[in-house]
Amino acid sequence: MWSSDLTLVTGSVDIGGQRAGLAMQFAETMGMRYEDIGSFVGNTESIGFTANTGGSRTTFATGWAVYEAAQDMKRQLVQRAAQIWTVDASSVTYDDDGVIRGPEGKQLTLKEIAAQLSATGTQVQAHAAVKPGGVGAALSTHICDVEVDVDTGKVTVLRYTAVQDVEI
């Protein structure tokens, strides 16, 4: 398996690298390294109903759920840090670098707060259920190197490169 303290469970079958891609989206949102996340696909007994898996739609729709679950986790971690420091949660922030900061220079990394969660109750379990409409923004470019025989007009494709990206 993996040795991470954080596990991402999604319900979309990994047909084209979505498990890794979704873990990357989660890691970016949490401000942590992708390598620190254990990611696997659950079944309906562990995660409930998930609509059909369909390539880029999965990256967009499940990616949206992953983003929302990360936001839920960040909110819960802010609450737990406030509890640890006995301060009001409004004085605590979860920064883009994955560090939770409080008043008077107090701060906790994800690993540090994870080690203290049992003292604040249970482990943190975040979740999200979304039904986004439409499609995600997609960007692409195609580059084709060709050779043209000027006598016959025959075109030979020497190299073809496609580059695609999706933004949420």
Side-chain angles (χ1 to χ4, degrees):
M1 281 291 229
W2 51 83
S3 62
S4 70
D5 291 325
L6 198 146
T7 304
L8 175 65
V9 183
T10 56
S12 300
V13 178
D14 188 359
I15 61 170
Q18 281 97 340
R19 185 172 48 87
L22 295 169
M24 287 178 196
Q25 290 175 342
F26 189 84
E28 182 177 342
T29 306
M30 293 297 296
M32 60 189 300
R33 296 174 346 125
Y34 159 74
E35 295 83 6
D36 292 335
I37 297 175
S39 179
F40 76 94
V41 176
N43 58 29
T44 53
E45 290 181 9
S46 63
I47 201 159
F49 175 77
T50 300
N52 65 317
T53 299
S56 61
R57 175 71 184 158
T58 300
T59 303
F60 170 68
T62 308
W64 198 261
V66 164
Y67 172 80
E68 290 297 333
Q71 296 300 332
D72 180 34
M73 178 166 282
K74 289 180 350 182
R75 283 187 293 273
Q76 290 183 56
L77 291 172
V78 162
Q79 291 289 331
R80 297 295 182 88
Q83 186 178 347
I84 290 167
W85 295 325
T86 59
V87 299
D88 189 82
S90 65
S91 67
V92 179
T93 60
Y94 188 106
D95 292 342
D96 290 339
D97 59 359
V99 176
I100 303 160
R101 291 184 170 80
E104 301 172 13
K106 294 178 180 174
Q107 66 180 40
L108 290 167
T109 65
L110 287 171
K111 289 190 183 286
E112 290 169 340
I113 196 166
Q116 297 183 48
L117 285 177
S118 60
T120 65
T122 62
Q123 298 298 311
V124 171
Q125 295 184 12
H127 71 281
V130 300
K131 189 174 182 180
V135 296
L139 310 166
S140 69
T141 189
H142 296 255
I143 304 164
C144 186
D145 293 328
V146 297
E147 180 178 83
V148 179
D149 184 323
V150 293
D151 294 327
T152 65
K154 179 183 177 199
V155 177
T156 303
V157 175
L158 301 174
R159 182 174 44 198
Y160 189 90
T161 305
V163 180
Q164 294 180 244
D165 189 18
V166 177
E167 296 183 15
I168 322 184

Coordinates of all heavy atoms in Angstrom, one line a residue, residues 83-149:
Q83 N -8.9 24.5 18.6 CA -9.2 23.7 19.8 C -7.9 23.4 20.5 O -7.8 23.6 21.7 CB -9.9 22.4 19.4 CG -10.4 21.6 20.6 CD -11.1 20.4 20.1 OE1 -11.5 20.2 19.0 NE2 -11.3 19.4 21.1
I84 N -6.9 23.0 19.8 CA -5.6 22.7 20.4 C -5.0 24.0 21.1 O -4.4 23.9 22.2 CB -4.6 22.2 19.3 CG1 -5.0 20.8 18.9 CG2 -3.1 22.2 19.8 CD1 -4.3 20.3 17.6
W85 N -5.1 25.1 20.4 CA -4.5 26.3 20.9 C -5.5 27.1 21.9 O -5.1 28.1 22.4 CB -4.1 27.3 19.8 CG -3.0 26.7 18.9 CD1 -2.0 26.0 19.3 CD2 -2.9 26.9 17.5 NE1 -1.2 25.7 18.2 CE2 -1.7 26.3 17.1 CE3 -3.6 27.6 16.5 CZ2 -1.3 26.2 15.8 CZ3 -3.2 27.6 15.2 CH2 -2.0 26.9 14.8
T86 N -6.7 26.6 22.0 CA -7.7 27.3 22.8 C -7.9 28.7 22.4 O -7.8 29.6 23.2 CB -7.5 27.1 24.3 OG1 -6.3 27.7 24.7 CG2 -7.6 25.7 24.8
V87 N -8.1 28.9 21.1 CA -8.3 30.2 20.5 C -9.6 30.2 19.7 O -10.1 29.1 19.3 CB -7.1 30.8 19.7 CG1 -5.9 30.9 20.5 CG2 -6.9 29.9 18.5
D88 N -10.1 31.3 19.3 CA -11.3 31.4 18.4 C -10.8 30.9 17.0 O -9.8 31.4 16.5 CB -11.8 32.8 18.4 CG -13.1 32.8 17.6 OD1 -14.2 32.5 18.2 OD2 -13.1 33.2 16.4
A89 N -11.6 30.1 16.3 CA -11.3 29.6 15.0 C -11.1 30.8 14.0 O -10.4 30.6 13.0 CB -12.3 28.6 14.5
S90 N -11.7 31.9 14.2 CA -11.6 33.0 13.2 C -10.2 33.6 13.2 O -9.9 34.3 12.3 CB -12.6 34.1 13.6 OG -12.4 34.7 14.8
S91 N -9.4 33.2 14.2 CA -8.0 33.8 14.3 C -7.0 32.7 13.7 O -5.8 33.0 13.7 CB -7.6 34.1 15.7 OG -7.6 32.9 16.5
V92 N -7.5 31.7 13.1 CA -6.7 30.6 12.5 C -6.9 30.6 11.0 O -8.0 30.7 10.5 CB -7.0 29.2 13.2 CG1 -6.2 28.1 12.6 CG2 -6.9 29.3 14.7
T93 N -5.8 30.4 10.3 CA -5.9 30.2 8.8 C -5.2 29.0 8.4 O -4.3 28.5 9.0 CB -5.3 31.5 8.1 OG1 -3.9 31.5 8.5 CG2 -6.0 32.7 8.4
Y94 N -5.7 28.5 7.2 CA -5.0 27.4 6.6 C -4.4 28.0 5.3 O -5.1 28.4 4.4 CB -6.0 26.3 6.2 CG -5.3 25.0 5.7 CD1 -5.3 23.9 6.4 CD2 -4.8 25.0 4.4 CE1 -4.7 22.8 6.0 CE2 -4.1 23.9 3.9 CZ -4.1 22.8 4.7 OH -3.5 21.6 4.2
D95 N -3.1 28.1 5.3 CA -2.4 28.8 4.2 C -2.1 27.8 3.0 O -2.1 26.6 3.2 CB -1.1 29.4 4.7 CG -1.4 30.6 5.6 OD1 -2.6 31.1 5.6 OD2 -0.5 31.0 6.3
D96 N -1.9 28.4 1.8 CA -1.6 27.6 0.6 C -0.4 26.7 0.7 O -0.4 25.7 -0.1 CB -1.4 28.6 -0.6 CG -2.7 29.3 -1.0 OD1 -3.8 28.8 -0.6 OD2 -2.6 30.4 -1.6
D97 N 0.5 26.9 1.6 CA 1.6 26.1 1.8 C 1.4 24.9 2.7 O 2.2 24.1 3.0 CB 2.8 26.8 2.3 CG 2.6 27.5 3.7 OD1 1.5 27.4 4.2 OD2 3.5 28.2 4.2
G98 N 0.1 24.7 3.1 CA -0.3 23.6 3.9 C 0.0 23.8 5.4 O 0.0 22.8 6.2
V99 N 0.3 25.0 5.8 CA 0.6 25.3 7.2 C -0.6 26.0 7.8 O -1.1 26.9 7.2 CB 1.9 26.1 7.4 CG1 2.1 26.5 8.8 CG2 3.1 25.4 6.8
I100 N -1.0 25.5 9.0 CA -2.1 26.2 9.7 C -1.5 27.2 10.7 O -0.6 26.8 11.5 CB -2.9 25.1 10.5 CG1 -3.4 24.1 9.5 CG2 -4.0 25.7 11.3 CD1 -3.8 22.8 10.1
R101 N -1.9 28.4 10.6 CA -1.3 29.5 11.4 C -2.4 30.1 12.3 O -3.5 30.3 11.9 CB -0.7 30.5 10.5 CG 0.5 30.0 9.7 CD 1.2 31.1 8.9 NE 2.5 30.6 8.4 CZ 2.7 29.8 7.3 NH1 1.6 29.4 6.7 NH2 3.9 29.5 7.0
G102 N -1.9 30.4 13.5 CA -2.7 31.1 14.5 C -2.1 32.3 15.1 O -1.1 32.8 14.6
P103 N -2.7 32.8 16.1 CA -2.2 34.0 16.7 C -0.9 33.8 17.4 O -0.5 32.7 17.7 CB -3.3 34.4 17.8 CG -4.0 33.1 18.0 CD -3.9 32.3 16.8
E104 N -0.1 34.9 17.6 CA 1.1 34.9 18.3 C 2.2 34.0 17.6 O 3.0 33.3 18.3 CB 0.9 34.5 19.8 CG 0.0 35.5 20.5 CD -0.3 35.0 21.9 OE1 0.3 34.1 22.4 OE2 -1.3 35.6 22.5
G105 N 2.1 33.8 16.3 CA 3.1 33.0 15.6 C 2.9 31.5 15.7 O 3.8 30.8 15.3
K106 N 1.8 31.1 16.3 CA 1.6 29.7 16.4 C 1.4 29.1 15.0 O 0.8 29.7 14.1 CB 0.3 29.4 17.2 CG 0.5 29.8 18.6 CD -0.8 29.5 19.4 CE -0.6 29.9 20.8 NZ -1.2 30.0 21.8
Q107 N 1.9 27.9 14.8 CA 1.7 27.2 13.5 C 1.8 25.7 13.6 O 2.5 25.2 14.5 CB 2.6 27.7 12.4 CG 4.1 27.5 12.6 CD 4.9 28.1 11.5 OE1 4.6 29.2 11.0 NE2 5.9 27.3 11.0
L108 N 1.2 25.0 12.8 CA 1.2 23.5 12.7 C 1.3 23.1 11.3 O 0.5 23.6 10.4 CB 0.0 22.9 13.4 CG -0.2 23.0 14.9 CD1 -1.6 22.6 15.3 CD2 0.8 22.1 15.5
T109 N 2.2 22.2 11.0 CA 2.1 21.6 9.6 C 1.1 20.5 9.6 O 0.5 20.1 10.7 CB 3.5 20.9 9.3 OG1 3.7 19.8 10.2 CG2 4.6 21.9 9.4
L110 N 0.8 19.9 8.5 CA -0.2 18.8 8.4 C 0.2 17.6 9.3 O -0.6 17.0 10.0 CB -0.5 18.4 7.0 CG -1.2 19.4 6.2 CD1 -1.2 19.0 4.7 CD2 -2.7 19.5 6.7
K111 N 1.5 17.3 9.2 CA 2.0 16.1 10.0 C 1.9 16.4 11.5 O 1.6 15.5 12.2 CB 3.4 15.8 9.5 CG 3.5 15.1 8.2 CD 4.8 14.6 7.9 CE 4.9 14.0 6.5 NZ 4.2 12.8 6.3
E112 N 2.2 17.6 11.8 CA 2.1 18.0 13.3 C 0.7 17.9 13.8 O 0.4 17.4 14.9 CB 2.7 19.4 13.5 CG 4.2 19.4 13.3 CD 4.8 20.8 13.3 OE1 4.0 21.8 13.0 OE2 6.0 20.9 13.5
I113 N -0.3 18.5 13.0 CA -1.6 18.4 13.5 C -2.2 17.0 13.5 O -3.0 16.6 14.4 CB -2.6 19.5 12.8 CG1 -3.8 19.6 13.6 CG2 -2.8 19.0 11.4 CD1 -4.7 20.8 13.2
A114 N -1.8 16.2 12.5 CA -2.2 14.9 12.4 C -1.8 14.1 13.6 O -2.6 13.2 14.1 CB -1.7 14.2 11.1
A115 N -0.7 14.4 14.2 CA -0.2 13.7 15.4 C -1.0 14.1 16.6 O -1.0 13.3 17.6 CB 1.3 14.0 15.6
Q116 N -1.7 15.2 16.6 CA -2.5 15.7 17.7 C -4.0 15.5 17.6 O -4.7 15.8 18.5 CB -2.1 17.1 18.0 CG -0.7 17.4 18.3 CD -0.4 18.9 18.6 OE1 -1.2 19.5 19.3 NE2 0.6 19.4 18.0
L117 N -4.4 14.9 16.5 CA -5.9 14.9 16.3 C -6.6 14.0 17.3 O -7.7 14.3 17.7 CB -6.2 14.4 14.8 CG -6.0 15.4 13.7 CD1 -6.2 14.8 12.4 CD2 -6.8 16.6 13.9
S118 N -6.0 12.9 17.7 CA -6.7 12.1 18.7 C -7.0 12.8 20.0 O -8.0 12.5 20.7 CB -5.9 10.8 19.0 OG -4.6 11.1 19.5
A119 N -6.2 13.8 20.3 CA -6.5 14.6 21.6 C -7.6 15.6 21.4 O -8.1 16.1 22.4 CB -5.2 15.4 21.9
T120 N -8.1 15.8 20.1 CA -9.2 16.7 19.9 C -10.4 16.0 19.5 O -11.4 16.6 19.1 CB -8.8 17.7 18.8 OG1 -8.6 17.0 17.5 CG2 -7.5 18.5 19.1
G121 N -10.5 14.7 19.6 CA -11.6 13.9 19.2 C -11.2 12.8 18.3 O -10.2 12.1 18.5
T122 N -11.9 12.7 17.2 CA -11.6 11.6 16.2 C -10.7 12.2 15.1 O -10.4 13.3 15.0 CB -12.9 11.1 15.6 OG1 -13.5 12.3 14.9 CG2 -13.9 10.6 16.6
Q123 N -10.3 11.3 14.2 CA -9.6 11.7 13.0 C -10.5 12.5 12.1 O -11.7 12.5 12.2 CB -9.1 10.4 12.2 CG -8.2 9.5 13.0 CD -6.9 10.3 13.4 OE1 -6.3 10.9 12.6 NE2 -6.5 10.2 14.7
V124 N -9.9 13.3 11.2 CA -10.7 14.1 10.3 C -11.1 13.3 9.1 O -10.3 12.7 8.5 CB -9.9 15.4 9.9 CG1 -10.6 16.1 8.8 CG2 -9.6 16.3 11.1
Q125 N -12.4 13.4 8.8 CA -12.9 12.7 7.6 C -13.7 13.7 6.8 O -14.7 14.2 7.3 CB -13.8 11.5 7.9 CG -13.0 10.4 8.6 CD -13.9 9.2 8.8 OE1 -15.0 9.1 8.3 NE2 -13.4 8.3 9.6
A126 N -13.2 14.1 5.7 CA -13.8 15.1 4.9 C -14.5 14.4 3.7 O -14.1 13.4 3.3 CB -12.8 16.1 4.3
H127 N -15.6 15.0 3.2 CA -16.3 14.5 2.1 C -16.9 15.6 1.3 O -17.1 16.7 1.7 CB -17.3 13.4 2.5 CG -18.5 14.0 3.2 ND1 -18.4 14.5 4.5 CD2 -19.7 14.3 2.7 CE1 -19.6 15.0 4.8 NE2 -20.4 14.9 3.8
A128 N -17.3 15.2 0.1 CA -18.1 16.1 -0.8 C -18.9 15.3 -1.8 O -18.4 14.3 -2.2 CB -17.1 17.1 -1.5
A129 N -20.0 15.8 -2.1 CA -20.9 15.2 -3.1 C -21.3 16.4 -4.0 O -21.9 17.4 -3.5 CB -22.1 14.5 -2.6
V130 N -21.0 16.3 -5.3 CA -21.3 17.4 -6.2 C -21.9 16.9 -7.5 O -21.8 15.7 -7.8 CB -20.0 18.2 -6.6 CG1 -19.3 18.8 -5.3 CG2 -19.0 17.3 -7.3
K131 N -22.6 17.8 -8.2 CA -23.1 17.4 -9.5 C -22.9 18.6 -10.4 O -23.9 19.4 -10.7 CB -24.6 17.1 -9.3 CG -25.2 16.5 -10.6 CD -26.6 16.0 -10.4 CE -27.1 15.4 -11.7 NZ -28.4 14.9 -11.6
P132 N -21.7 18.9 -10.8 CA -21.4 20.0 -11.6 C -22.0 19.9 -13.0 O -22.0 18.8 -13.6 CB -19.9 20.1 -11.7 CG -19.4 18.7 -11.4 CD -20.5 18.1 -10.5
G133 N -22.5 21.0 -13.5 CA -23.1 21.0 -14.8 C -22.0 21.5 -15.8 O -21.0 22.0 -15.4
G134 N -22.3 21.3 -17.0 CA -21.4 21.8 -18.1 C -20.1 21.0 -18.2 O -20.0 19.8 -17.7
V135 N -19.1 21.6 -18.7 CA -17.8 21.0 -18.9 C -16.8 21.9 -18.3 O -17.0 23.1 -18.2 CB -17.5 20.6 -20.3 CG1 -18.5 19.6 -20.9 CG2 -17.5 21.9 -21.2
G136 N -15.6 21.3 -18.1 CA -14.5 22.2 -17.6 C -13.8 22.8 -18.8 O -14.0 22.4 -19.9
A137 N -13.1 23.9 -18.5 CA -12.4 24.6 -19.6 C -11.3 23.7 -20.1 O -10.6 23.1 -19.3 CB -11.8 25.9 -19.0
A138 N -11.2 23.6 -21.4 CA -10.1 22.8 -21.9 C -9.3 23.6 -22.9 O -9.8 24.4 -23.7 CB -10.7 21.6 -22.7
L139 N -8.0 23.4 -22.9 CA -7.1 24.1 -23.7 C -6.2 23.0 -24.5 O -5.9 22.0 -23.9 CB -6.1 25.0 -22.9 CG -6.8 25.9 -21.9 CD1 -5.8 26.5 -20.9 CD2 -7.5 27.0 -22.6
S140 N -6.0 23.3 -25.7 CA -5.1 22.3 -26.4 C -4.4 23.0 -27.6 O -4.8 24.1 -28.1 CB -5.9 21.1 -27.0 OG -6.8 21.5 -28.0
T141 N -3.3 22.4 -28.0 CA -2.7 22.8 -29.2 C -2.1 21.6 -29.9 O -1.8 20.5 -29.3 CB -1.5 23.8 -28.9 OG1 -1.1 24.3 -30.1 CG2 -0.4 23.2 -28.1
H142 N -2.0 21.6 -31.2 CA -1.5 20.5 -32.0 C -0.4 21.0 -32.9 O -0.5 22.1 -33.5 CB -2.6 19.8 -32.8 CG -3.7 19.2 -32.0 ND1 -3.8 17.9 -31.8 CD2 -4.6 19.8 -31.2 CE1 -4.8 17.6 -31.0 NE2 -5.3 18.8 -30.6
I143 N 0.7 20.3 -32.9 CA 1.9 20.7 -33.7 C 2.2 19.6 -34.7 O 2.3 18.4 -34.3 CB 3.1 21.0 -32.8 CG1 2.7 22.1 -31.8 CG2 4.3 21.4 -33.7 CD1 3.7 22.2 -30.7
C144 N 2.3 19.9 -36.0 CA 2.5 18.9 -36.9 C 3.7 19.3 -37.8 O 3.7 20.3 -38.5 CB 1.3 18.7 -37.8 SG 1.4 17.3 -38.9
D145 N 4.7 18.4 -37.8 CA 5.9 18.6 -38.7 C 5.6 17.8 -40.0 O 5.4 16.6 -39.8 CB 7.2 18.2 -38.1 CG 7.6 19.1 -36.9 OD1 7.2 20.3 -37.0 OD2 8.2 18.6 -36.0
V146 N 5.7 18.4 -41.2 CA 5.4 17.7 -42.4 C 6.5 17.9 -43.4 O 7.3 18.9 -43.3 CB 4.0 18.1 -43.0 CG1 2.9 17.7 -42.1 CG2 4.0 19.5 -43.4
E147 N 6.6 17.0 -44.3 CA 7.5 17.1 -45.4 C 6.6 17.1 -46.7 O 5.8 16.2 -46.8 CB 8.5 16.0 -45.4 CG 9.5 16.0 -46.5 CD 10.5 14.9 -46.4 OE1 10.2 13.8 -46.9 OE2 11.6 15.1 -45.8
V148 N 6.8 18.0 -47.6 CA 6.0 18.1 -48.8 C 6.9 17.9 -50.0 O 7.9 18.6 -50.2 CB 5.3 19.5 -48.9 CG1 4.5 19.5 -50.2 CG2 4.4 19.7 -47.7
D149 N 6.6 16.9 -50.8 CA 7.3 16.7 -52.1 C 6.8 17.7 -53.1 O 5.6 17.6 -53.5 CB 7.1 15.2 -52.5 CG 7.9 14.9 -53.8 OD1 8.1 15.8 -54.6 OD2 8.4 13.8 -53.9

